[in-house]
């Protein structure tokens, strides 16, 4: 039975040409296709050459090369400082792009998306840039930043949690919803977050109080009596929507408690 080397060997220059024209195929060939070591080294070398040429032509902040650099960084030898430096520079300059008010909203949205896929977790320059984006004039950028923080930040990162708590007062419902969801992921049982969110239960705007209730329910465990007491107090709110959210929140926490009790008895 013929192996892949016998079948494709004579056509290697053609396939390398195809891969050069289509970087996605080149990346997939490295990550997914089982090829001999010599071929992988050929393909890796070609991707590296193409990527570095693009960097020279378009600059370090080009989003086009970010996927290539991520693949090269994963597969290259630790001693290959060239790729490591290029990757770090690309990520840092992309983060700087987010703070550049002269860039279009579309360009910055694409940058946020690219960073969500290729930046390391807890990369300080990226986290700082995303937190700054939470104050952007464009609600789409604020929403994207809130969502991506949930992917790139470890739990209980106080700077990110504080910035997300402030977004509970955002005028855009989609930004508030994304912030609440991310807080549920990052600030579980975080007493500092509970206090920061609790302060917003006294906000004059009912939509902020509703958002605060939703966030409290997201981050609190079922047995937190202080949160139960706080939510019961919200049942006396003058606004019907706030009362409804408080009632739903208490019901949700009770459901959580029942689940915990069931799991404990089953164990």
């Amino acid at each position: 039975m013929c192996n892949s080397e016998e079948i494709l060997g004579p056509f290697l220059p053609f396939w390398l040409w195809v891969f050069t024209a289509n970087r996605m195929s080149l990346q997939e060939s490295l990550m997914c296709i089982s090829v001999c070591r010599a071929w992988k080294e050929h393909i890796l070398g070609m991707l590296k050459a193409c990527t570095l040429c693009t960097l020279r032509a378009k600059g370090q902040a080009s989003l086009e090369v970010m996927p290539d650099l991520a693949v090269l960084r994963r597969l290259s030898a630790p001693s290959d400082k060239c790729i490591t430096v290029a990757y770090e520079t690309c990520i840092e300059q992309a983060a700087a792009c987010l703070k550049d008010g002269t860039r279009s909203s579309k360009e910055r949205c694409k940058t946020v998306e690219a960073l969500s896929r290729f930046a390391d977790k807890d990369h300080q320059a990226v986290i700082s840039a995303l937190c700054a984006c939470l104050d952007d004039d464009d609600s789409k950028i604020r929403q994207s930043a809130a969502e991506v923080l949930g992917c790139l930040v470890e739990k209980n990162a106080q700077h990110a949690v504080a910035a997300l708590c402030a977004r509970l007062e955002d005028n855009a419902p989609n930004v508030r919803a994304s912030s609440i969801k991310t807080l549920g992921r990052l600030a579980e049982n975080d007493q500092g977050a509970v206090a920061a969110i609790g302060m917003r239960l006294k906000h004059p705007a009912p939509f902020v109080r509703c958002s605060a209730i939703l966030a409290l329910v997201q981050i609190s465990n079922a047995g937190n009596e202080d949160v139960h007491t706080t939510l019961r107090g919200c049942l006396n709110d003058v606004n019907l929507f706030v009362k409804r959210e408080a009632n739903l929140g208490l019901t949700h926490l009770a459901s959580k408690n029942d689940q915990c009790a069931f799991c404990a008895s089953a164990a």
Side-chain angles (χ1 to χ4, degrees), residues 10 13 19 35 90 110 123 131 135 143 198 220 237 246 257:
F19 292 150
V35 296
C90 185
K110 284 184 177 179
H123 192 296
C131 286
D135 292 320
Q143 180 185 11
S220 301
D237 197 280
N257 198 30

Side-chain angles (χ1 to χ4, degrees), residues 210 213 231 234-249:
C210 286
I213 290 170
L231 292 178
C234 293
L235 294 173
N236 298 320
D237 197 280
V238 296
N239 185 274
L240 290 175
F241 291 103
V242 176
K243 289 181 180 180
R244 185 190 67 175
E245 290 299 343
N247 189 44
L248 290 172

